[in-house]
Amino acid sequence: MEYVENRMAQEAAKPAASGALLTPLNFLLVGVLVYTAYVFYKPKPPVTLPKDEPAVVFRTFTPRTLLPYNGVDGAPVYLAVRGRVFDVSRGRNFYGPGGPYANFAGRDASRGLACGSFDEEMLTKDLDGPLDTLADLGAEEMDALKGWEERFSEKYLVVGKLVPVGEEKEKA
């Protein structure tokens, strides 16, 4: 026990080491402290509010004037259902170029949606002819179409109405 007491007395009598603060642990702690202060006090980028969508004017479309709104080259994506034209640009992944419903973009999608078909033959071929009256659809198909129309009404803005060629001036 005497040895331990002598050893402790010798260590206590030694002058304090000048490098006692320069240990790897202290360097690590100072580094963590500096990094934390940097993260806490660094300037933050200013908060930017999302831009408002441009105002859309309700207008009258014919099948031919609706056609350019197919999403190609950054154009908005519109489609018509039972005479109502919807802006489905927010769903560009579905209705825009390359999407599963892309053939409906810029067109009257009523028959295709009612029949659950995405084929080209569901679209009106004659853009200057009369609109599809959907008179030959059954009750089940009309119910399906009404369901689609309700879904579009809840999610997307109505930007216009679809009328046959020749009536766009009368009903505008």
Side-chain angles (χ1 to χ4, degrees), residues 30-49:
V30 167
V32 168
L33 183 65
V34 168
Y35 176 76
T36 303
Y38 168 74
V39 168
F40 187 73
Y41 290 110
K42 78 176 181 179
K44 296 183 177 39
V47 176
T48 56
L49 297 174

Side-chain angles (χ1 to χ4, degrees), residues 100-101 103-104 109-119 122 137 140-142 144-145 148:
Y101 302 97
N103 62 329
F104 294 150
S110 301
R111 180 168 293 276
L113 293 173
C115 296
S117 174
F118 310 118
D119 297 332
M122 290 290 153
L137 295 180
E140 187 175 312
E141 292 164 327
M142 287 305 288
L145 181 58
W148 277 102

Side-chain angles (χ1 to χ4, degrees), residues 24 50 64 67 78 90 110 131-134 136 146-147 165:
R64 189 164 300 283
L67 194 57
Y78 293 175
R90 287 185 294 153
S110 301
L131 295 181
D132 188 354
T133 62
L134 308 173
D136 60 328
K146 286 177 186 171
V165 173

Side-chain angles (χ1 to χ4, degrees), residues 32-134:
V32 168
L33 183 65
V34 168
Y35 176 76
T36 303
Y38 168 74
V39 168
F40 187 73
Y41 290 110
K42 78 176 181 179
K44 296 183 177 39
V47 176
T48 56
L49 297 174
K51 293 182 179 179
D52 288 336
E53 293 182 15
V56 178
V57 177
F58 188 86
R59 58 182 276 211
T60 303
F61 293 91
T62 65
R64 189 164 300 283
T65 60
L66 182 61
L67 194 57
Y69 296 96
N70 58 7
V72 175
D73 296 329
V77 184
Y78 293 175
L79 62 81
V81 178
R82 290 181 15 134
R84 295 170 64 194
V85 179
F86 293 93
D87 180 356
V88 294
S89 298
R90 287 185 294 153
R92 184 176 294 276
N93 293 342
F94 293 103
Y95 305 103
Y101 302 97
N103 62 329
F104 294 150
R107 305 292 294 268
D108 181 3
S110 301
R111 180 168 293 276
L113 293 173
C115 296
S117 174
F118 310 118
D119 297 332
E120 286 288 326
E121 58 264 4
M122 290 290 153
L123 301 173
T124 306
K125 305 263 186 288
D126 183 11
L127 297 178
D128 295 321
L131 295 181
D132 188 354
T133 62
L134 308 173

